[in-house]
Amino acid sequence: MLELEVVPERSLGNEQWELVLGMAFSQVVHILQQQFQSIKNVQVLYSELNPLVMDLVINLSQDGIRLIFDPLSQRLKIIEVYCMTKTKLKYCGNVFCSPEVPPTLEQIDHSFGATHPGGRSVSHFKNPFEFAEFRKPWLAHWLTEYHSSQQVFVLNFRGLTFAFAIDPSVPPRVTPGLGSIQFGSFPIVSKMSIYSGNSLSETRAPSLPNNSFCNHCYLENLDVLREGEETIGVKLKIITEDLDSNKLLEFRKLVMTKVIKFGDSAQDVTSALGSPSKVFYKSEDKMKIHSPNSHRYRKLSCSDFFYNYFTLGLDILFDAKSHRVKKFILHTNYPGHYNFNIYFRCNFNLPIEVKPPSESEDMTLIDVSEKKHIITAFTKWDTMEEHLKKPLERPVVLNRASTHNATNPFGSTCCYGYQDIIFEVMPNNHLASVTLYQRKKLQRSVDV
């Protein structure tokens, strides 16, 4: 049984590990993988058809803990303990939930109980069941609610909520003061939720916590730089830790803007973005079969190589001979894709010029601002087809498979070419990745 410390509006964990609100999905998975000896039966729940509408959930069924992530930012939004009998919980070092200490209303009142602020009585408040607490290091508010339809009594602190299942046959008798609420018997906590803010229903995932940076760079957004129908590079807005600040006194974030263009050297990229998470050398190019005169290609003594930036959701391909940038790959990190949880989501903005109107349409009726369509990581392919010219060629079916396991449980994806862009589309019409390449350079290498 796990023994965990509860920190309202922040985290759940112990001396070995801590799950902090705002952590990225991959960071939480990495922590759980390191604790494989004590944490088992981990499930990932998501909506295959609507991954941007339904929350992304990690369910620790053995420990009765549910980790809920925002579907857009993929950061931890709510920590929910839905089975109180499977964990041992503490607050400020005092156990309030264990097999020996049942989490009754009286026990919660004893562990999280409030004092009257400034000597004023509870009756001085507009709501007699709401008063501030100053005995704890964090400011909290009690708010009692009774939902007759669900037969649940909810007790709210700031960033912490307890739900009590009560006997529906005995309605509560409420008088001023929490200790005077009578239910006929002491109810037991059925669920506990840790979140950010005052309201569980309106909570949102906070920004990345300070202890998640660890000298890594994280992407806030990426703008694709284009001139007409040609891509020239990308501009990245990066958030990282300010190394000039004193960590013991203050943690400060540093926001930087970097531009990477086609033709930049590997040294230029490293100077701008830092060392990559991994370097991958292409041993075989399976797409060359679609090129003319592919039988003339010979196996070279050197190969192109990728700089993989996992926390930026970005891959950069360098030419084997010149060591200069020739391709960018932007990853959207949707659940249900073969590469899910390898990369952080790349929040990109890709401007595309809309196809010109037909001769029957009046140019004076067309807004100039509508001549460009912005594609993001959340744009669906069927929506894009309304603004883009449909590809002249049929899509290439891409079926990733491991050398050790020839089956791909997530199925194949389709790759559509448009100008100097390749869109990889999942079966649910969401973009799996966007590849940007240098069209003119590629054409010259094919003709040789």
Side-chain angles (χ1 to χ4, degrees), residues 159-209:
L160 184 66
T161 293
F162 294 98
F164 298 83
I166 63 175
D167 186 0
S169 61
V170 182
R173 293 186 293 107
V174 182
T175 58
L178 181 62
S180 300
I181 302 177
Q182 304 295 328
F183 292 94
S185 61
F186 288 113
I188 303 294
V189 176
S190 59
K191 184 174 64 175
M192 180 191 73
S193 301
I194 304 173
Y195 54 93
S196 177
N198 292 314
S199 174
L200 177 61
S201 59
E202 299 177 358
T203 187
R204 295 185 179 183
S207 58
L208 281 172

Side-chain angles (χ1 to χ4, degrees), residues 217-350:
C217 294
Y218 296 93
L219 180 69
E220 183 167 329
N221 59 65
L222 180 147
D223 294 324
V224 179
L225 305 178
R226 289 175 61 83
E227 293 181 353
E229 297 184 354
E230 181 180 357
T231 302
I232 61 175
V234 295
K235 182 173 70 173
L236 304 93
K237 187 177 181 181
I238 300 173
I239 303 177
T240 186
E241 180 181 356
D242 188 357
L243 300 179
D244 293 333
S245 62
N246 191 335
K247 295 183 179 180
L248 298 178
L249 299 178
E250 180 185 10
F251 179 91
R252 290 188 299 178
K253 298 178 182 179
L254 180 64
V255 180
M256 303 180 296
T257 300
K258 301 294 182 179
V259 176
I260 307 296
K261 296 184 178 181
F262 288 118
D264 286 354
S265 65
Q267 290 83 357
D268 295 332
V269 174
T270 305
S271 299
L273 305 181
S275 300
S277 306
K278 188 178 180 180
V279 179
F280 175 76
Y281 291 88
K282 294 179 62 176
S283 58
E284 181 182 2
D285 187 2
K286 296 182 180 180
M287 297 299 292
K288 69 182 182 182
I289 194 173
H290 299 285
S291 303
N293 302 324
S294 60
H295 62 279
R296 296 183 182 180
Y297 281 85
R298 294 182 178 180
K299 188 175 181 180
L300 302 176
S301 57
C302 57
S303 61
D304 296 344
F305 58 96
F306 281 100
Y307 274 7
N308 305 125
Y309 290 94
F310 296 143
T311 58
L312 303 180
L314 174 68
D315 289 335
I316 302 178
L317 179 65
F318 295 89
D319 182 77
K321 295 182 178 180
S322 64
H323 292 190
R324 295 189 177 275
V325 177
K326 60 186 295 187
K327 186 182 294 184
F328 299 96
I329 302 179
L330 317 178
H331 299 272
T332 57
N333 195 41
Y334 277 105
H337 186 257
Y338 186 81
N339 290 331
F340 174 65
N341 197 42
I342 297 179
Y343 299 86
F344 283 52
R345 173 168 289 163
C346 179
N347 293 315
F348 60 85
N349 296 306
L350 172 59

Side-chain angles (χ1 to χ4, degrees), residues 38-278:
S38 57
I39 299 179
K40 304 181 185 298
N41 299 332
V42 180
Q43 303 170 332
V44 178
L45 309 176
Y46 63 92
S47 173
E48 185 175 356
L49 296 179
N50 300 304
L52 297 177
V53 177
M54 305 298 293
D55 290 331
L56 183 61
V57 179
I58 296 180
N59 182 33
L60 312 181
S61 57
Q62 176 179 278
D63 306 298
I65 300 175
R66 187 180 292 118
L67 308 174
I68 302 174
F69 296 81
D70 181 83
L72 299 179
S73 63
Q74 296 185 340
R75 295 196 303 267
L76 184 57
K77 180 173 64 173
I78 301 173
I79 302 174
E80 183 180 282
V81 182
Y82 63 88
C83 188
M84 306 294 290
T85 60
K86 294 183 178 181
T87 56
K88 183 177 181 180
L89 301 176
K90 299 187 299 181
Y91 173 66
C92 293
N94 299 320
V95 177
F96 67 90
C97 176
S98 70
E100 298 78 18
V101 182
T104 62
L105 179 60
E106 183 183 34
Q107 179 62 45
I108 298 301
D109 185 23
H110 175 73
S111 301
F112 298 86
T115 58
H116 300 296
R120 297 190 299 172
S121 63
V122 179
S123 59
H124 290 176
F125 291 86
K126 294 181 180 179
N127 184 348
F129 310 110
E130 181 178 0
F131 51 93
E133 177 203 10
F134 290 90
R135 187 177 52 156
K136 307 298 182 185
W138 50 280
L139 181 64
H141 291 278
W142 287 92
L143 178 62
T144 58
E145 300 176 0
Y146 175 66
H147 303 277
S148 58
S149 59
Q150 300 178 357
Q151 305 301 310
V152 173
F153 172 74
V154 180
L155 190 60
N156 290 333
F157 290 90
R158 178 175 175 83
L160 184 66
T161 293
F162 294 98
F164 298 83
I166 63 175
D167 186 0
S169 61
V170 182
R173 293 186 293 107
V174 182
T175 58
L178 181 62
S180 300
I181 302 177
Q182 304 295 328
F183 292 94
S185 61
F186 288 113
I188 303 294
V189 176
S190 59
K191 184 174 64 175
M192 180 191 73
S193 301
I194 304 173
Y195 54 93
S196 177
N198 292 314
S199 174
L200 177 61
S201 59
E202 299 177 358
T203 187
R204 295 185 179 183
S207 58
L208 281 172
N210 297 342
N211 60 349
S212 295
F213 279 83
C214 300
N215 297 330
H216 289 294
C217 294
Y218 296 93
L219 180 69
E220 183 167 329
N221 59 65
L222 180 147
D223 294 324
V224 179
L225 305 178
R226 289 175 61 83
E227 293 181 353
E229 297 184 354
E230 181 180 357
T231 302
I232 61 175
V234 295
K235 182 173 70 173
L236 304 93
K237 187 177 181 181
I238 300 173
I239 303 177
T240 186
E241 180 181 356
D242 188 357
L243 300 179
D244 293 333
S245 62
N246 191 335
K247 295 183 179 180
L248 298 178
L249 299 178
E250 180 185 10
F251 179 91
R252 290 188 299 178
K253 298 178 182 179
L254 180 64
V255 180
M256 303 180 296
T257 300
K258 301 294 182 179
V259 176
I260 307 296
K261 296 184 178 181
F262 288 118
D264 286 354
S265 65
Q267 290 83 357
D268 295 332
V269 174
T270 305
S271 299
L273 305 181
S275 300
S277 306
K278 188 178 180 180

